[in-house]
């Protein structure tokens, strides 16, 4: 992978990111499919989308493949993942990327639009504790137009089911161990490879200076997310997809 991805081979980096993420989430494409199903169901096939904490642009990629007339604004703070995203979508006037910190109260002022049909995010907001996430949901509530949607697919843990949680975690990690033995690359290894790439080494170092090694946020239940989104001004909110460990919560303005 390092030979094919070196020197800014952005598609190779996108594919390697997908493989690394799928090691943790074998059902990753299924959650994207359901997310886009619900975008189409609620706001149609030509949406203006905010890809929140966009990373390499995974949601934007699936969005434009399925809805060629859609547009996307990707927002993130990670210099390395944004480098891959910008390289991948270079020259595509349907896509804009913005560097912003979601903990900055003024981050929405950096966006090119004041409202969106859909705000979408996946496997990202667990980096935030519940208090700043509540603040963020309030900001998102003001960005989504009336009749628009917000969706968050992420780790959402129900603390009221500890035995189920323990069994699920053991089963999932056993499968990950088998995939790892067969050659799957994990998070740490992927970033080590990025640090060796002449184009990504600098952005990767900046990334770790910003974030550190691991997320230290919370993983509240899907019910918490739905309740907090309703309190943020959404008319309806509930889970529309779930695996044993993750959920996709949809909120309609």
């Amino acid at each position: 992978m390092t030979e094919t991805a070196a020197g800014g081979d952005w598609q190779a980096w996108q594919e390697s990111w997908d493989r690394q993420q799928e090691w943790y989430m074998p059902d990753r494409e299924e959650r994207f499919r359901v997310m886009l199903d619900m975008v189409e169901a609620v706001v149609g096939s030509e949406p203006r989308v905010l890809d929140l904490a966009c990373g390499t642009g995974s949601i934007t990629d699936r969005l434009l493949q399925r809805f060629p007339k859609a547009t996307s604004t990707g927002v993130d703070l990670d210099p390395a993942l944004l480098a891959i995203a910008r390289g991948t979508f270079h020259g595509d006037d349907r896509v804009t990327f913005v560097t912003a910190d979601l903990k900055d109260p003024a981050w929405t002022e950096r966006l090119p639009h004041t409202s969106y049909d859909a705000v979408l995010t996946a496997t990202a907001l667990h980096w935030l504790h519940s208090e700043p996430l509540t603040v963020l949901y309030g900001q998102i509530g003001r960005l989504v137009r009336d009749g628009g949607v917000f969706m968050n697919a992420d780790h959402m843990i129900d603390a009221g089911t500890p035995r189920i949680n323990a069994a699920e975690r053991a089963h999932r990690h056993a499968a990950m161990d088998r995939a790892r033995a067969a050659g799957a690359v994990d998070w740490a290894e992927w970033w080590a490879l990025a640090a060796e790439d002449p184009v990504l080494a600098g952005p990767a170092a900046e990334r770790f200076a910003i974030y550190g090694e691991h997320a230290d946020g919370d993983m509240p239940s899907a019910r918490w997310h739905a309740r907090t989104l309703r309190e943020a001004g959404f008319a309806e909110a509930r889970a529309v997809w779930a695996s044993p460990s993750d959920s996709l919560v949809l909120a309609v303005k």
Side-chain angles (χ1 to χ4, degrees), residues 54-107:
C54 64
T56 66
S58 296
I59 290 174
T60 293
D61 178 53
R62 277 79 177 165
L63 172 78
L64 297 181
Q65 287 186 42
R66 179 158 169 179
F67 306 127
K69 294 185 179 180
T71 60
S72 178
T73 302
V75 59
D76 208 303
L77 187 60
D78 188 311
L81 299 187
L82 279 174
I84 296 171
R86 288 187 168 112
T88 299
F89 295 96
H90 179 71
D92 191 332
D93 61 8
R94 298 171 297 176
V95 184
T96 303
F97 289 104
V98 174
T99 300
D101 185 350
L102 298 182
K103 293 181 181 179
D104 178 354
W107 72 269

Side-chain angles (χ1 to χ4, degrees), residues 33-189:
R33 182 190 64 78
V34 174
M35 178 179 282
L36 296 181
D37 280 351
M38 297 311 298
V39 167
E40 185 174 27
V42 182
V43 300
S45 60
E46 300 181 22
R48 175 192 289 170
V49 170
L50 177 62
D51 186 351
L52 190 72
C54 64
T56 66
S58 296
I59 290 174
T60 293
D61 178 53
R62 277 79 177 165
L63 172 78
L64 297 181
Q65 287 186 42
R66 179 158 169 179
F67 306 127
K69 294 185 179 180
T71 60
S72 178
T73 302
V75 59
D76 208 303
L77 187 60
D78 188 311
L81 299 187
L82 279 174
I84 296 171
R86 288 187 168 112
T88 299
F89 295 96
H90 179 71
D92 191 332
D93 61 8
R94 298 171 297 176
V95 184
T96 303
F97 289 104
V98 174
T99 300
D101 185 350
L102 298 182
K103 293 181 181 179
D104 178 354
W107 72 269
T108 59
E109 297 175 10
R110 295 176 173 265
L111 301 177
H113 307 290
T114 58
S115 69
Y116 289 85
D117 300 312
V119 177
L120 310 177
T121 188
T123 327
L125 300 188
H126 62 273
W127 282 79
L128 297 177
H129 288 292
S130 298
E131 184 175 342
L133 182 55
T134 299
V135 172
L136 180 64
Y137 277 175
Q139 294 171 309
I140 293 168
R142 294 187 289 275
L143 279 174
V144 175
R145 68 162 173 84
D146 288 345
V149 299
F150 168 71
M151 278 181 268
N152 179 14
D154 210 340
H155 312 308
M156 299 183 186
I157 307 301
D158 189 336
T161 59
R163 288 191 297 169
I164 295 173
N165 298 349
E168 181 281 325
R169 186 178 188 280
H171 183 267
R172 174 165 43 90
H173 279 262
M176 290 169 66
D177 289 344
R178 291 192 295 271
R180 186 77 178 80
V185 173
D186 67 10
W187 170 270
E189 285 183 314

